[in-house]
Amino acid sequence: MPEPTTRGILLAVQVVEGPCWIRIESDGRVVLQTTMRPGSVDTFKANRSLDLWLGNAGAARLTLNGKELRISREDRAIYRVRFIRNEKGVRLVSQP
């Protein structure tokens, strides 16, 4: 996994079971929208904000700035979250 960062947002996505649809917006720009396959690993960086959508979220494992995130492990679950960086670090601001 990538080294943690204190100057931004660093999200690693690893797909371990079944396909997982993913969309990433970094600082307001769409940087990825695809279906990742098992064994896939990708890293995304942002300076201010990072938006993540996952379909079949149970297939993915997430690491944010070096720390594992807990998300739904249910098959076919949809996961949506926004991370914002401020002077205190990175915080999760929405998770419908």
Side-chain angles (χ1 to χ4, degrees):
M1 286 294 142
E3 289 296 315
T5 180
T6 57
R7 296 181 296 196
I9 302 167
L10 181 64
L11 179 71
V13 178
Q14 177 182 17
V15 178
V16 294
E17 326 168 345
C20 180
W21 180 83
I22 181 170
R23 177 183 168 112
I24 297 277
E25 288 184 13
S26 174
D27 296 323
R29 267 189 21 246
V30 175
V31 294
L32 182 72
Q33 184 169 312
T34 192
T35 300
M36 293 176 70
R37 302 283 173 213
S40 300
V41 179
D42 213 337
T43 303
F44 307 94
K45 297 178 184 180
N47 293 316
R48 297 176 317 274
S49 68
L50 192 136
D51 292 277
L52 168 69
W53 292 260
L54 293 175
N56 193 22
R61 304 297 178 264
L62 305 177
T63 305
L64 178 69
N65 287 358
K67 295 181 182 176
E68 185 177 343
L69 294 178
R70 293 184 176 262
I71 64 170
S72 171
R73 297 288 186 235
E74 294 179 37
D75 286 343
R76 311 248 187 262
I78 296 174
Y79 183 74
R80 161 79 170 92
V81 67
R82 169 177 271 190
F83 303 101
I84 298 287
R85 183 178 148 262
N86 63 21
E87 65 280 348
K88 294 180 182 180
V90 176
R91 64 186 178 101
L92 182 148
V93 294
S94 64
Q95 183 180 357

